[in-house]
Amino acid sequence: EPRSPWCCLAWTLVIATMNSLVFLLNLLLMFVIFTVVLLPTIVVVYFGFQCHSQVLHSSARYCKSILDDNSSSALIILGFVIMSPLLVVAMAIYCSLARRLQLLVCFQPYSLALYKGGRWCRRGEGAPCCARGCNTQVKAWV
């Protein structure tokens, strides 16, 4: 049976909040994975730009003794060249982790807010967000 308008609004807010939290969790996980995997590229490009005389020209000891303009340019080029494979690796790690944790299945449909009798999943049914093994189809009849 359909929910009352106020109840429907309340359930819509609950479902929207839960979906937003799942989205933020996915975003945080993606940010952490990409930061860790792309850290070598970030470091190499940073030192290349820091020691190049045309960009920042740092007065650090390693910039004066080890890195000249040619080696700084080589670091910048190397950093951008290794970025492409590392992006692929980071995306593969995120996709496999999201599939294993079933994070993309955690989004609840808004039809749960419209009709009573929709079944919320319980934690003991498998996935961390309770999506596996749960029938989320809502019947409009009793």
Side-chain angles (χ1 to χ4, degrees), residues 58-120:
S58 175
S59 61
R61 187 172 55 101
Y62 57 84
C63 286
K64 293 178 182 176
S65 62
I66 299 174
L67 297 174
D68 58 349
D69 280 350
N70 291 333
S71 58
S72 296
S73 297
L75 281 179
I76 294 169
I77 292 169
L78 175 69
F80 284 113
V81 166
I82 65 173
M83 185 185 300
S84 296
L86 289 180
L87 279 172
V88 172
V89 169
M91 196 62 189
I93 290 172
Y94 168 73
C95 288
S96 66
L97 194 59
R99 179 179 292 155
R100 182 172 301 234
L101 295 176
Q102 295 186 355
L103 292 177
L104 301 176
V105 190
C106 292
F107 292 103
Q108 294 290 333
Y110 286 103
S111 61
L112 290 175
L114 298 177
Y115 296 104
K116 293 180 183 177
R119 183 172 160 216
W120 282 91

